[in-house]
Amino acid sequence: MAFQIALLRGINVGGNRKFPMARQRELMAELGFEDVTVHLQTGNIVFADPGTPPERTARTLEDGFAADLGFPVPVMVRTRDELAATIEANPYPEAAAEPKTLHVVFLADVPTDTAALDAVDPATYAPDEFRLIGREIFLRCPDGVGRSKLAAKVTNARLGVPATARNWNTVTKLLALADA
């Protein structure tokens, strides 16, 4: 059976925009999705692929979540194979040995305006670095993402598309859940 992965943005952060894991599972079932697994409080949901394009699945989830919660929840959806391709495309394979130093920013679509990223001088932020590949930004921060000025610049870049970031441990765990 094939799976899709929903990555929710901005829930359960600092006690705001609460969306408990149990409710995530319940609401997914109410919306007609099956074989649902929720990983962590921050909105990582693996579920049976309903056979619809991920973009349409994302809209269905966004509409259903907003109606139930009363606030918008941006959702990025990837198929199992798209997530595997993201892992394969990692331009920093050495960072996988220290997964806390590597993050992936998942974008809802390929950005048409990359001026904000193009304006970033990587040398200014060394040893931190990033690469935009398709609908993902790979962000490597050897000294940790929490204090990284590059991480703040990249994750707040005005790309005109919704985005949400996950650390490498979460990314690889989501693929493992989709393969289980």
Side-chain angles (χ1 to χ4, degrees):
M1 174 182 300
F3 285 86
Q4 288 187 355
I5 299 92
L7 304 161
L8 286 57
R9 178 169 188 232
I11 62 159
N12 300 327
V13 179
N16 298 312
R17 297 169 48 97
K18 293 182 181 184
F19 192 6
M21 291 171 65
R23 184 62 187 140
Q24 291 175 42
R25 279 189 295 277
E26 291 168 2
L27 190 50
M28 290 293 290
E30 289 171 20
L31 293 171
F33 296 97
E34 299 177 347
D35 295 322
V36 176
T37 301
V38 177
H39 178 64
L40 303 175
Q41 284 282 80
T42 54
N44 306 290
I45 307 173
V46 179
F47 53 97
D49 190 331
T52 58
E55 298 79 16
R56 190 169 349 142
T57 301
R59 282 192 305 277
T60 298
L61 294 176
E62 288 175 346
D63 292 346
F65 295 163
D68 185 75
L69 300 170
F71 56 82
V73 178
V75 179
M76 278 47 71
V77 175
R78 300 294 191 268
T79 66
R80 179 261 172 231
D81 290 346
E82 288 172 330
L83 187 62
T86 296
I87 292 170
E88 185 67 29
N90 173 16
Y92 309 113
E94 69 283 358
E98 290 189 66
K100 67 180 187 228
T101 68
L102 183 59
H103 288 69
V104 180
V105 180
F106 292 91
L107 307 173
D109 204 350
V110 176
T112 56
D113 182 5
T114 60
L117 290 180
D118 296 341
V120 174
D121 177 9
T124 304
Y125 301 97
D128 296 354
E129 54 191 335
F130 76 96
R131 292 254 321 263
L132 170 65
I133 301 176
R135 295 183 300 162
E136 282 82 32
I137 300 171
F138 292 85
L139 177 62
R140 184 178 161 274
C141 302
D143 298 326
V145 75
R147 295 187 185 139
S148 171
K149 291 182 179 165
L150 178 63
K153 195 78 138 163
V154 168
T155 56
N156 293 321
R158 305 254 188 262
L159 299 174
V161 295
T164 189
R166 297 295 186 272
N167 68 41
W168 195 248
N169 279 333
T170 299
V171 172
T172 57
K173 177 65 175 180
L174 291 171
L175 181 61
L177 289 170
D179 285 341

